[in-house]
Amino acid sequence: MKAEQDECNVAFPVYGHQVLTAEQQEIRKLRKENEILRQERKILKMATACLVQNSTRMGPGRIFAKETTR
């Protein structure tokens, strides 16, 4: 009975969890990690753009003076 159920899960993953090989699991893990890294890189680019925009408005001397006076 268990063997039939396992075969069904492989053939029809909708009815249960799909059995993945070690390579498939590794690929899935790496794809998730890659997506997270892409999102983090996008956030860092946006943050850098904001910092550059603010530094051109205030000038670099003002930014450092403002941080040290707090």
Side-chain angles (χ1 to χ4, degrees):
M1 183 70 178
K2 176 74 172 144
E4 290 175 7
Q5 191 176 21
D6 288 342
E7 288 177 15
C8 183
N9 288 343
V10 172
F12 303 101
V14 174
Y15 297 112
H17 296 289
Q18 184 177 9
V19 179
L20 299 176
T21 64
E23 291 87 9
Q24 290 172 326
Q25 290 173 355
E26 181 72 12
I27 289 170
R28 181 177 280 182
K29 182 184 121 190
L30 291 172
R31 284 183 177 162
K32 285 180 184 180
E33 184 179 345
N34 199 10
E35 181 59 30
I36 291 169
L37 291 171
R38 282 188 179 127
Q39 291 173 0
E40 289 175 349
R41 186 179 67 193
K42 182 179 177 183
I43 291 168
L44 289 172
K45 281 183 179 181
M46 292 182 343
T48 302
C50 288
L51 289 173
V52 168
Q53 186 178 17
N54 287 337
S55 69
T56 57
R57 285 185 192 161
M58 297 175 62
R62 287 184 170 176
I63 292 172
F64 293 113
K66 197 175 199 179
E67 289 178 1
T68 58
T69 57
R70 288 184 184 182

